[in-house]
mmCIF file of all heavy atoms in Angstrom:
data_model
loop_
_atom_site.group_PDB
_atom_site.id
_atom_site.type_symbol
_atom_site.label_atom_id
_atom_site.label_comp_id
_atom_site.label_asym_id
_atom_site.label_seq_id
_atom_site.Cartn_x
_atom_site.Cartn_y
_atom_site.Cartn_z
ATOM 1 N N LYS A 1 -5.189 -30.890 -9.154
ATOM 2 C CA LYS A 1 -4.119 -29.868 -8.738
ATOM 3 C C LYS A 1 -4.262 -28.627 -9.524
ATOM 4 O O LYS A 1 -4.037 -27.512 -8.995
ATOM 5 C CB LYS A 1 -2.761 -30.507 -8.979
ATOM 6 C CG LYS A 1 -1.625 -29.600 -8.492
ATOM 7 C CD LYS A 1 -0.268 -30.228 -8.644
ATOM 8 C CE LYS A 1 0.859 -29.295 -8.251
ATOM 9 N NZ LYS A 1 2.223 -29.916 -8.355
ATOM 10 N N ALA A 2 -4.731 -28.744 -10.738
ATOM 11 C CA ALA A 2 -4.911 -27.555 -11.582
ATOM 12 C C ALA A 2 -5.924 -26.595 -10.953
ATOM 13 O O ALA A 2 -5.681 -25.379 -10.840
ATOM 14 C CB ALA A 2 -5.361 -27.947 -12.956
ATOM 15 N N PHE A 3 -7.025 -27.141 -10.478
ATOM 16 C CA PHE A 3 -8.062 -26.213 -9.824
ATOM 17 C C PHE A 3 -7.486 -25.707 -8.553
ATOM 18 O O PHE A 3 -7.736 -24.556 -8.253
ATOM 19 C CB PHE A 3 -9.280 -27.119 -9.516
ATOM 20 C CG PHE A 3 -10.333 -26.408 -8.790
ATOM 21 C CD1 PHE A 3 -11.139 -25.431 -9.353
ATOM 22 C CD2 PHE A 3 -10.460 -26.633 -7.340
ATOM 23 C CE1 PHE A 3 -12.100 -24.776 -8.607
ATOM 24 C CE2 PHE A 3 -11.473 -25.946 -6.597
ATOM 25 C CZ PHE A 3 -12.233 -24.959 -7.266
ATOM 26 N N TYR A 4 -6.763 -26.472 -7.749
ATOM 27 C CA TYR A 4 -6.178 -26.018 -6.536
ATOM 28 C C TYR A 4 -5.234 -24.859 -6.776
ATOM 29 O O TYR A 4 -5.225 -23.843 -6.116
ATOM 30 C CB TYR A 4 -5.440 -27.189 -5.860
ATOM 31 C CG TYR A 4 -4.512 -26.870 -4.751
ATOM 32 C CD1 TYR A 4 -4.969 -26.340 -3.507
ATOM 33 C CD2 TYR A 4 -3.134 -27.013 -4.949
ATOM 34 C CE1 TYR A 4 -4.100 -26.049 -2.513
ATOM 35 C CE2 TYR A 4 -2.270 -26.657 -3.890
ATOM 36 C CZ TYR A 4 -2.750 -26.239 -2.680
ATOM 37 O OH TYR A 4 -1.838 -25.909 -1.693
ATOM 38 N N VAL A 5 -4.336 -25.008 -7.767
ATOM 39 C CA VAL A 5 -3.335 -23.942 -8.057
ATOM 40 C C VAL A 5 -3.970 -22.694 -8.570
ATOM 41 O O VAL A 5 -3.700 -21.569 -8.103
ATOM 42 C CB VAL A 5 -2.197 -24.500 -9.002
ATOM 43 C CG1 VAL A 5 -1.386 -23.336 -9.501
ATOM 44 C CG2 VAL A 5 -1.427 -25.617 -8.391
ATOM 45 N N VAL A 6 -4.802 -22.839 -9.609
ATOM 46 C CA VAL A 6 -5.403 -21.705 -10.294
ATOM 47 C C VAL A 6 -6.346 -20.957 -9.277
ATOM 48 O O VAL A 6 -6.248 -19.728 -9.226
ATOM 49 C CB VAL A 6 -6.239 -22.183 -11.538
ATOM 50 C CG1 VAL A 6 -6.996 -20.960 -12.081
ATOM 51 C CG2 VAL A 6 -5.234 -22.675 -12.587
ATOM 52 N N SER A 7 -7.189 -21.679 -8.587
ATOM 53 C CA SER A 7 -8.068 -20.958 -7.629
ATOM 54 C C SER A 7 -7.274 -20.319 -6.539
ATOM 55 O O SER A 7 -7.644 -19.194 -6.082
ATOM 56 C CB SER A 7 -9.074 -21.984 -7.082
ATOM 57 O OG SER A 7 -8.398 -23.015 -6.368
ATOM 58 N N GLY A 8 -6.238 -20.905 -6.053
ATOM 59 C CA GLY A 8 -5.382 -20.264 -5.030
ATOM 60 C C GLY A 8 -4.803 -19.016 -5.522
ATOM 61 O O GLY A 8 -4.736 -17.961 -4.798
ATOM 62 N N LEU A 9 -4.276 -18.976 -6.795
ATOM 63 C CA LEU A 9 -3.736 -17.782 -7.402
ATOM 64 C C LEU A 9 -4.790 -16.619 -7.502
ATOM 65 O O LEU A 9 -4.454 -15.510 -7.198
ATOM 66 C CB LEU A 9 -3.070 -18.045 -8.681
ATOM 67 C CG LEU A 9 -1.824 -18.907 -8.701
ATOM 68 C CD1 LEU A 9 -1.395 -19.286 -10.116
ATOM 69 C CD2 LEU A 9 -0.661 -18.134 -8.037
ATOM 70 N N ILE A 10 -5.963 -17.010 -7.997
ATOM 71 C CA ILE A 10 -7.014 -16.012 -8.142
ATOM 72 C C ILE A 10 -7.418 -15.454 -6.819
ATOM 73 O O ILE A 10 -7.576 -14.173 -6.700
ATOM 74 C CB ILE A 10 -8.244 -16.692 -8.839
ATOM 75 C CG1 ILE A 10 -7.928 -17.042 -10.284
ATOM 76 C CG2 ILE A 10 -9.488 -15.754 -8.776
ATOM 77 C CD1 ILE A 10 -8.952 -17.806 -10.995
ATOM 78 N N ILE A 11 -7.575 -16.254 -5.786
ATOM 79 C CA ILE A 11 -7.932 -15.802 -4.502
ATOM 80 C C ILE A 11 -6.904 -14.797 -3.897
ATOM 81 O O ILE A 11 -7.215 -13.735 -3.381
ATOM 82 C CB ILE A 11 -8.176 -16.949 -3.512
ATOM 83 C CG1 ILE A 11 -9.414 -17.703 -3.928
ATOM 84 C CG2 ILE A 11 -8.341 -16.463 -2.038
ATOM 85 C CD1 ILE A 11 -9.676 -19.054 -3.132
ATOM 86 N N GLN A 12 -5.592 -15.243 -4.073
ATOM 87 C CA GLN A 12 -4.579 -14.329 -3.544
ATOM 88 C C GLN A 12 -4.527 -13.017 -4.234
ATOM 89 O O GLN A 12 -4.331 -11.950 -3.677
ATOM 90 C CB GLN A 12 -3.178 -14.991 -3.717
ATOM 91 C CG GLN A 12 -2.954 -16.187 -2.772
ATOM 92 C CD GLN A 12 -1.554 -16.822 -2.974
ATOM 93 O OE1 GLN A 12 -0.524 -16.169 -2.629
ATOM 94 N NE2 GLN A 12 -1.531 -18.025 -3.441
ATOM 95 N N ALA A 13 -4.675 -13.098 -5.596
ATOM 96 C CA ALA A 13 -4.695 -11.829 -6.363
ATOM 97 C C ALA A 13 -5.844 -10.887 -5.994
ATOM 98 O O ALA A 13 -5.643 -9.702 -5.843
ATOM 99 C CB ALA A 13 -4.694 -12.151 -7.881
ATOM 100 N N LEU A 14 -6.979 -11.464 -5.810
ATOM 101 C CA LEU A 14 -8.129 -10.607 -5.414
ATOM 102 C C LEU A 14 -7.957 -10.040 -4.067
ATOM 103 O O LEU A 14 -8.267 -8.860 -3.836
ATOM 104 C CB LEU A 14 -9.379 -11.515 -5.422
ATOM 105 C CG LEU A 14 -9.959 -11.901 -6.843
ATOM 106 C CD1 LEU A 14 -11.124 -12.915 -6.705
ATOM 107 C CD2 LEU A 14 -10.346 -10.690 -7.650
ATOM 108 N N ILE A 15 -7.452 -10.782 -3.095
ATOM 109 C CA ILE A 15 -7.233 -10.264 -1.802
ATOM 110 C C ILE A 15 -6.280 -9.140 -1.794
ATOM 111 O O ILE A 15 -6.430 -8.100 -1.227
ATOM 112 C CB ILE A 15 -6.688 -11.393 -0.798
ATOM 113 C CG1 ILE A 15 -7.853 -12.462 -0.553
ATOM 114 C CG2 ILE A 15 -6.231 -10.840 0.542
ATOM 115 C CD1 ILE A 15 -7.416 -13.642 0.233
ATOM 116 N N LEU A 16 -5.162 -9.336 -2.579
ATOM 117 C CA LEU A 16 -4.130 -8.291 -2.680
ATOM 118 C C LEU A 16 -4.754 -6.999 -3.281
ATOM 119 O O LEU A 16 -4.537 -5.877 -2.804
ATOM 120 C CB LEU A 16 -2.941 -8.719 -3.524
ATOM 121 C CG LEU A 16 -1.857 -7.745 -3.830
ATOM 122 C CD1 LEU A 16 -1.161 -7.304 -2.531
ATOM 123 C CD2 LEU A 16 -0.847 -8.273 -4.773
ATOM 124 N N LEU A 17 -5.454 -7.178 -4.426
ATOM 125 C CA LEU A 17 -6.028 -6.018 -5.061
ATOM 126 C C LEU A 17 -7.097 -5.271 -4.195
ATOM 127 O O LEU A 17 -7.101 -4.013 -4.079
ATOM 128 C CB LEU A 17 -6.679 -6.407 -6.373
ATOM 129 C CG LEU A 17 -5.712 -6.853 -7.529
ATOM 130 C CD1 LEU A 17 -6.412 -7.320 -8.709
ATOM 131 C CD2 LEU A 17 -4.703 -5.699 -7.849
ATOM 132 N N LEU A 18 -7.911 -6.022 -3.447
ATOM 133 C CA LEU A 18 -8.885 -5.413 -2.589
ATOM 134 C C LEU A 18 -8.227 -4.749 -1.403
ATOM 135 O O LEU A 18 -8.620 -3.646 -0.988
ATOM 136 C CB LEU A 18 -9.816 -6.538 -2.074
ATOM 137 C CG LEU A 18 -10.884 -7.118 -3.031
ATOM 138 C CD1 LEU A 18 -11.601 -8.328 -2.422
ATOM 139 C CD2 LEU A 18 -11.852 -6.031 -3.444
ATOM 140 N N PHE A 19 -7.133 -5.398 -0.940
ATOM 141 C CA PHE A 19 -6.361 -4.723 0.162
ATOM 142 C C PHE A 19 -5.801 -3.387 -0.273
ATOM 143 O O PHE A 19 -5.954 -2.345 0.421
ATOM 144 C CB PHE A 19 -5.256 -5.677 0.569
ATOM 145 C CG PHE A 19 -4.380 -5.164 1.685
ATOM 146 C CD1 PHE A 19 -4.730 -5.217 2.968
ATOM 147 C CD2 PHE A 19 -3.134 -4.554 1.361
ATOM 148 C CE1 PHE A 19 -3.903 -4.709 4.007
ATOM 149 C CE2 PHE A 19 -2.290 -4.058 2.299
ATOM 150 C CZ PHE A 19 -2.676 -4.161 3.654
ATOM 151 N N LEU A 20 -5.155 -3.372 -1.477
ATOM 152 C CA LEU A 20 -4.580 -2.141 -1.966
ATOM 153 C C LEU A 20 -5.683 -1.093 -2.294
ATOM 154 O O LEU A 20 -5.465 0.101 -2.040
ATOM 155 C CB LEU A 20 -3.710 -2.434 -3.213
ATOM 156 C CG LEU A 20 -2.469 -3.297 -2.992
ATOM 157 C CD1 LEU A 20 -1.863 -3.617 -4.349
ATOM 158 C CD2 LEU A 20 -1.490 -2.561 -2.139
ATOM 159 N N PHE A 21 -6.731 -1.542 -2.878
ATOM 160 C CA PHE A 21 -7.804 -0.635 -3.199
ATOM 161 C C PHE A 21 -8.387 0.017 -1.956
ATOM 162 O O PHE A 21 -8.666 1.245 -1.941
ATOM 163 C CB PHE A 21 -8.932 -1.346 -4.022
ATOM 164 C CG PHE A 21 -10.106 -0.523 -4.340
ATOM 165 C CD1 PHE A 21 -9.931 0.340 -5.463
ATOM 166 C CD2 PHE A 21 -11.267 -0.567 -3.689
ATOM 167 C CE1 PHE A 21 -11.045 1.132 -5.848
ATOM 168 C CE2 PHE A 21 -12.331 0.251 -4.052
ATOM 169 C CZ PHE A 21 -12.148 1.086 -5.089
ATOM 170 N N TYR A 22 -8.633 -0.788 -0.901
ATOM 171 C CA TYR A 22 -9.187 -0.295 0.270
ATOM 172 C C TYR A 22 -8.347 0.780 0.940
ATOM 173 O O TYR A 22 -8.813 1.914 1.251
ATOM 174 C CB TYR A 22 -9.489 -1.416 1.301
ATOM 175 C CG TYR A 22 -9.954 -0.938 2.631
ATOM 176 C CD1 TYR A 22 -11.265 -0.542 2.866
ATOM 177 C CD2 TYR A 22 -8.970 -0.901 3.695
ATOM 178 C CE1 TYR A 22 -11.691 -0.131 4.141
ATOM 179 C CE2 TYR A 22 -9.419 -0.423 4.941
ATOM 180 C CZ TYR A 22 -10.745 -0.069 5.172
ATOM 181 O OH TYR A 22 -11.151 0.349 6.416
ATOM 182 N N PHE A 23 -7.089 0.458 1.104
ATOM 183 C CA PHE A 23 -6.191 1.420 1.802
ATOM 184 C C PHE A 23 -5.905 2.641 0.969
ATOM 185 O O PHE A 23 -5.683 3.739 1.480
ATOM 186 C CB PHE A 23 -4.928 0.710 2.178
ATOM 187 C CG PHE A 23 -4.984 -0.096 3.485
ATOM 188 C CD1 PHE A 23 -5.275 -1.451 3.431
ATOM 189 C CD2 PHE A 23 -4.848 0.501 4.715
ATOM 190 C CE1 PHE A 23 -5.398 -2.179 4.596
ATOM 191 C CE2 PHE A 23 -4.979 -0.173 5.891
ATOM 192 C CZ PHE A 23 -5.265 -1.542 5.831
ATOM 193 N N SER A 24 -5.871 2.496 -0.340
ATOM 194 C CA SER A 24 -5.659 3.650 -1.175
ATOM 195 C C SER A 24 -6.849 4.604 -1.155
ATOM 196 O O SER A 24 -6.636 5.815 -1.362
ATOM 197 C CB SER A 24 -5.399 3.224 -2.653
ATOM 198 O OG SER A 24 -6.512 2.604 -3.207
ATOM 199 N N ARG A 25 -8.050 4.130 -0.905
ATOM 200 C CA ARG A 25 -9.249 4.957 -0.825
ATOM 201 C C ARG A 25 -9.355 5.515 0.584
ATOM 202 O O ARG A 25 -9.820 6.663 0.658
ATOM 203 C CB ARG A 25 -10.459 4.060 -1.151
ATOM 204 C CG ARG A 25 -10.569 3.640 -2.560
ATOM 205 C CD ARG A 25 -10.810 4.763 -3.564
ATOM 206 N NE ARG A 25 -12.110 5.421 -3.272
ATOM 207 C CZ ARG A 25 -13.284 5.071 -3.784
ATOM 208 N NH1 ARG A 25 -13.336 4.079 -4.637
ATOM 209 N NH2 ARG A 25 -14.351 5.745 -3.507
ATOM 210 N N GLN A 26 -8.940 4.831 1.592
ATOM 211 C CA GLN A 26 -9.065 5.245 2.940
ATOM 212 C C GLN A 26 -8.032 6.242 3.341
ATOM 213 O O GLN A 26 -8.222 7.151 4.133
ATOM 214 C CB GLN A 26 -9.074 4.046 3.923
ATOM 215 C CG GLN A 26 -10.313 3.141 3.707
ATOM 216 C CD GLN A 26 -11.599 3.833 4.094
ATOM 217 O OE1 GLN A 26 -11.678 4.594 5.081
ATOM 218 N NE2 GLN A 26 -12.652 3.564 3.254
ATOM 219 N N PHE A 27 -6.824 6.058 2.773
ATOM 220 C CA PHE A 27 -5.663 6.877 3.190
ATOM 221 C C PHE A 27 -5.044 7.541 1.923
ATOM 222 O O PHE A 27 -4.422 6.829 1.152
ATOM 223 C CB PHE A 27 -4.676 6.060 3.946
ATOM 224 C CG PHE A 27 -5.177 5.359 5.084
ATOM 225 C CD1 PHE A 27 -5.598 4.028 5.068
ATOM 226 C CD2 PHE A 27 -5.369 6.087 6.336
ATOM 227 C CE1 PHE A 27 -6.093 3.366 6.181
ATOM 228 C CE2 PHE A 27 -5.903 5.392 7.443
ATOM 229 C CZ PHE A 27 -6.240 4.051 7.387
ATOM 230 N N ILE A 28 -5.303 8.743 1.722
ATOM 231 C CA ILE A 28 -4.806 9.450 0.497
ATOM 232 C C ILE A 28 -3.387 9.404 0.328
ATOM 233 O O ILE A 28 -2.801 9.333 -0.804
ATOM 234 C CB ILE A 28 -5.357 10.914 0.488
ATOM 235 C CG1 ILE A 28 -5.186 11.526 -0.896
ATOM 236 C CG2 ILE A 28 -4.718 11.773 1.505
ATOM 237 C CD1 ILE A 28 -6.124 10.854 -1.926
ATOM 238 N N LEU A 29 -2.591 9.380 1.511
ATOM 239 C CA LEU A 29 -1.168 9.297 1.466
ATOM 240 C C LEU A 29 -0.706 8.013 0.719
ATOM 241 O O LEU A 29 0.238 8.041 -0.064
ATOM 242 C CB LEU A 29 -0.588 9.443 2.853
ATOM 243 C CG LEU A 29 0.984 9.353 2.936
ATOM 244 C CD1 LEU A 29 1.598 10.425 2.105
ATOM 245 C CD2 LEU A 29 1.426 9.377 4.382
ATOM 246 N N ILE A 30 -1.351 6.953 1.093
ATOM 247 C CA ILE A 30 -1.001 5.646 0.539
ATOM 248 C C ILE A 30 -1.267 5.664 -0.953
ATOM 249 O O ILE A 30 -0.519 5.102 -1.749
ATOM 250 C CB ILE A 30 -1.811 4.485 1.242
ATOM 251 C CG1 ILE A 30 -1.318 4.327 2.656
ATOM 252 C CG2 ILE A 30 -1.672 3.169 0.505
ATOM 253 C CD1 ILE A 30 -2.041 3.267 3.503
ATOM 254 N N TYR A 31 -2.377 6.270 -1.335
ATOM 255 C CA TYR A 31 -2.723 6.371 -2.753
ATOM 256 C C TYR A 31 -1.629 7.020 -3.560
ATOM 257 O O TYR A 31 -1.124 6.496 -4.523
ATOM 258 C CB TYR A 31 -3.984 7.120 -2.887
ATOM 259 C CG TYR A 31 -4.358 7.448 -4.350
ATOM 260 C CD1 TYR A 31 -4.996 6.574 -5.126
ATOM 261 C CD2 TYR A 31 -4.019 8.736 -4.963
ATOM 262 C CE1 TYR A 31 -5.395 6.879 -6.455
ATOM 263 C CE2 TYR A 31 -4.330 8.996 -6.288
ATOM 264 C CZ TYR A 31 -5.008 8.080 -7.032
ATOM 265 O OH TYR A 31 -5.306 8.367 -8.330
ATOM 266 N N TYR A 32 -1.113 8.189 -2.983
ATOM 267 C CA TYR A 32 -0.068 8.951 -3.773
ATOM 268 C C TYR A 32 1.284 8.147 -3.710
ATOM 269 O O TYR A 32 2.038 8.218 -4.662
ATOM 270 C CB TYR A 32 0.029 10.333 -3.147
ATOM 271 C CG TYR A 32 -1.050 11.286 -3.682
ATOM 272 C CD1 TYR A 32 -1.971 11.804 -2.724
ATOM 273 C CD2 TYR A 32 -1.156 11.578 -5.012
ATOM 274 C CE1 TYR A 32 -3.019 12.617 -3.166
ATOM 275 C CE2 TYR A 32 -2.187 12.470 -5.418
ATOM 276 C CZ TYR A 32 -3.074 12.919 -4.514
ATOM 277 O OH TYR A 32 -4.163 13.759 -4.926
ATOM 278 N N LEU A 33 1.513 7.537 -2.590
ATOM 279 C CA LEU A 33 2.728 6.742 -2.504
ATOM 280 C C LEU A 33 2.770 5.619 -3.507
ATOM 281 O O LEU A 33 3.807 5.356 -4.136
ATOM 282 C CB LEU A 33 2.947 6.144 -1.083
ATOM 283 C CG LEU A 33 3.316 7.151 -0.009
ATOM 284 C CD1 LEU A 33 3.299 6.439 1.326
ATOM 285 C CD2 LEU A 33 4.720 7.742 -0.220
ATOM 286 N N MET A 34 1.600 4.993 -3.732
ATOM 287 C CA MET A 34 1.499 3.934 -4.730
ATOM 288 C C MET A 34 1.681 4.440 -6.182
ATOM 289 O O MET A 34 2.341 3.844 -6.986
ATOM 290 C CB MET A 34 0.198 3.115 -4.576
ATOM 291 C CG MET A 34 0.132 2.292 -3.276
ATOM 292 S SD MET A 34 -1.406 1.580 -2.916
ATOM 293 C CE MET A 34 -1.610 0.485 -4.332
ATOM 294 N N VAL A 35 1.100 5.636 -6.419
ATOM 295 C CA VAL A 35 1.240 6.203 -7.713
ATOM 296 C C VAL A 35 2.718 6.609 -7.971
ATOM 297 O O VAL A 35 3.250 6.368 -9.058
ATOM 298 C CB VAL A 35 0.371 7.461 -7.880
ATOM 299 C CG1 VAL A 35 0.669 8.268 -9.166
ATOM 300 C CG2 VAL A 35 -1.094 7.071 -7.812
ATOM 301 N N ILE A 36 3.401 7.170 -6.873
ATOM 302 C CA ILE A 36 4.822 7.554 -7.048
ATOM 303 C C ILE A 36 5.626 6.262 -7.291
ATOM 304 O O ILE A 36 6.553 6.272 -8.132
ATOM 305 C CB ILE A 36 5.256 8.269 -5.829
ATOM 306 C CG1 ILE A 36 4.596 9.665 -5.709
ATOM 307 C CG2 ILE A 36 6.792 8.443 -5.772
ATOM 308 C CD1 ILE A 36 4.845 10.343 -4.440
ATOM 309 N N LEU A 37 5.320 5.147 -6.571
ATOM 310 C CA LEU A 37 5.980 3.904 -6.781
ATOM 311 C C LEU A 37 5.875 3.444 -8.171
ATOM 312 O O LEU A 37 6.850 2.974 -8.829
ATOM 313 C CB LEU A 37 5.455 2.843 -5.809
ATOM 314 C CG LEU A 37 5.999 1.441 -5.995
ATOM 315 C CD1 LEU A 37 7.493 1.359 -5.725
ATOM 316 C CD2 LEU A 37 5.217 0.400 -5.112
ATOM 317 N N SER A 38 4.642 3.533 -8.740
ATOM 318 C CA SER A 38 4.445 3.094 -10.135
ATOM 319 C C SER A 38 5.289 3.952 -11.114
ATOM 320 O O SER A 38 5.818 3.475 -12.032
ATOM 321 C CB SER A 38 2.943 3.187 -10.427
ATOM 322 O OG SER A 38 2.137 2.238 -9.756
ATOM 323 N N ALA A 39 5.348 5.270 -10.845
ATOM 324 C CA ALA A 39 6.108 6.168 -11.721
ATOM 325 C C ALA A 39 7.585 5.797 -11.664
ATOM 326 O O ALA A 39 8.288 5.740 -12.683
ATOM 327 C CB ALA A 39 5.917 7.576 -11.311
ATOM 328 N N ILE A 40 8.124 5.504 -10.448
ATOM 329 C CA ILE A 40 9.532 5.111 -10.295
ATOM 330 C C ILE A 40 9.796 3.798 -11.030
ATOM 331 O O ILE A 40 10.735 3.638 -11.734
ATOM 332 C CB ILE A 40 9.898 5.049 -8.858
ATOM 333 C CG1 ILE A 40 9.849 6.437 -8.147
ATOM 334 C CG2 ILE A 40 11.267 4.384 -8.672
ATOM 335 C CD1 ILE A 40 9.964 6.376 -6.677
ATOM 336 N N VAL A 41 8.869 2.846 -10.814
ATOM 337 C CA VAL A 41 9.015 1.539 -11.508
ATOM 338 C C VAL A 41 9.070 1.717 -13.004
ATOM 339 O O VAL A 41 9.799 1.088 -13.742
ATOM 340 C CB VAL A 41 7.932 0.585 -10.997
ATOM 341 C CG1 VAL A 41 7.877 -0.646 -11.925
ATOM 342 C CG2 VAL A 41 8.063 0.227 -9.579
ATOM 343 N N ALA A 42 8.160 2.569 -13.534
ATOM 344 C CA ALA A 42 8.081 2.777 -15.038
ATOM 345 C C ALA A 42 9.376 3.339 -15.517
ATOM 346 O O ALA A 42 9.865 2.920 -16.633
ATOM 347 C CB ALA A 42 6.909 3.746 -15.314
#
């Protein structure tokens, strides 16, 4: 179960980060929106 849980978390995290990275590079508006979101969260 440890391998199942840990590998599942790693795969989900990588997919999320790749998804965000791709759209932030392809669409400049999304990039700035994410930076603004980070500033608000901080």
Side-chain angles (χ1 to χ4, degrees):
K1 183 177 179 179
F3 175 76
Y4 165 70
V5 171
V6 173
S7 59
L9 289 173
I10 292 173
I11 291 170
Q12 288 184 66
L14 288 175
I15 291 173
L16 176 64
L17 291 176
L18 288 172
F19 178 83
L20 293 175
F21 180 77
Y22 173 78
F23 279 95
S24 65
R25 293 291 299 270
Q26 294 295 320
F27 303 98
I28 194 68
L29 178 61
I30 292 178
Y31 173 86
Y32 285 114
L33 286 175
M34 291 172 65
V35 171
I36 292 170
L37 173 64
S38 292
I40 293 172
V41 169

